[in-house]
Amino acid sequence: MPYLIDRAIPVGSFAGSGQPTLTVSGGALLRPWLISDADAVTEAFRDPAIQRWHVRRADSVDEARGWIQEWQRSWGEETAGHWAVADAQTGAPLGRMSLKAWNLTDGTADIAYWMMPAARGGGVCPRAVTALANWALGEAGFHRLELEHSTANEASCRVAVKAGFADEGVRRGAALHADGWHDMHLHARVRQD
């Protein structure tokens, strides 16, 4: 059955090109994940705060390598993009930014993130979210980005607000965490914001 509309983003727009590295103000960048980052990913997922807000843990460096391989493949499959938030001087990972759940027909995607404990509190995360959103809504051609976090995660809410994501309400009982069902606060940015 033919569509009555053109896709917002044509299939093949990403698979045919390499994943970009994006500049983040304040001495950071978003770069594709490397297999050599597996130790840092394993260490990050030992952090109780990351375990609280995410539903997975890394039990070994080999498991983290597998995740990174999945993250790398998702670009060519045009389903997601995953970046390491890295120190611009050393390249050391500071956290993760994901543009996931791509819908190329509607031009929508979700943003998710985490930061390593030492990188929290200095404004790196909201600057990285802003850089990713600006690229996604600009050069990449997405129309709408959603960002969702537990209503109990006040730090994540501050990141969303600082990055210009408007409050769109609460989705009740929308996500299962290790401690039970959480209401999820929905934020979004659209291209014309």
Side-chain angles (χ1 to χ4, degrees):
M1 179 176 299
Y3 281 93
L4 297 175
I5 59 169
D6 291 332
R7 290 179 181 266
I9 302 171
V11 172
S13 295
F14 302 100
S17 63
Q19 183 176 346
T21 295
L22 308 172
T23 301
V24 176
S25 64
L29 54 84
L30 298 177
R31 64 160 173 79
W33 284 97
L34 306 171
I35 296 298
S36 59
D37 295 325
D39 287 325
V41 171
T42 305
E43 183 62 31
F45 273 85
R46 288 188 182 124
D47 175 53
I50 289 177
Q51 288 183 7
R52 179 173 184 200
W53 304 119
H54 296 82
V55 296
R56 296 175 81 181
R57 69 173 193 229
D59 288 331
S60 69
V61 174
D62 283 341
E63 184 176 9
R65 282 188 195 106
W67 291 359
I68 292 169
Q69 289 169 336
E70 289 174 21
W71 298 341
Q72 292 170 335
R73 278 192 304 273
S74 67
W75 183 264
E77 295 168 353
E78 294 189 321
T79 57
H82 303 273
W83 285 263
V85 181
D87 181 283
Q89 298 298 317
T90 66
L94 305 171
R96 175 179 177 226
M97 289 287 140
S98 294
L99 188 65
K100 60 184 189 164
W102 293 3
N103 179 327
L104 300 183
T105 299
D106 292 335
T108 62
D110 299 341
I111 288 189
Y113 46 84
W114 52 257
M115 298 299 291
M116 295 180 176
R120 295 181 192 144
V124 175
C125 192
R127 290 193 306 269
V129 170
T130 299
L132 180 55
N134 289 346
W135 173 82
L137 293 168
E139 183 180 337
F142 286 91
H143 169 73
R144 176 182 169 86
L145 303 178
E146 293 186 355
L147 188 163
E148 199 173 57
H149 61 82
S150 168
T151 55
N153 189 341
E154 294 176 8
S156 193
C157 193
R158 287 191 300 272
V159 168
V161 170
K162 288 179 183 178
F165 281 73
D167 176 353
E168 291 197 342
V170 173
R171 295 177 58 234
R172 296 177 302 126
L176 182 60
H177 288 59
D179 62 352
W181 290 99
H182 281 237
D183 292 347
M184 299 299 284
H185 193 184
L186 175 64
H187 300 261
R189 274 184 61 181
V190 294
R191 187 178 299 151
Q192 60 266 32
D193 286 349

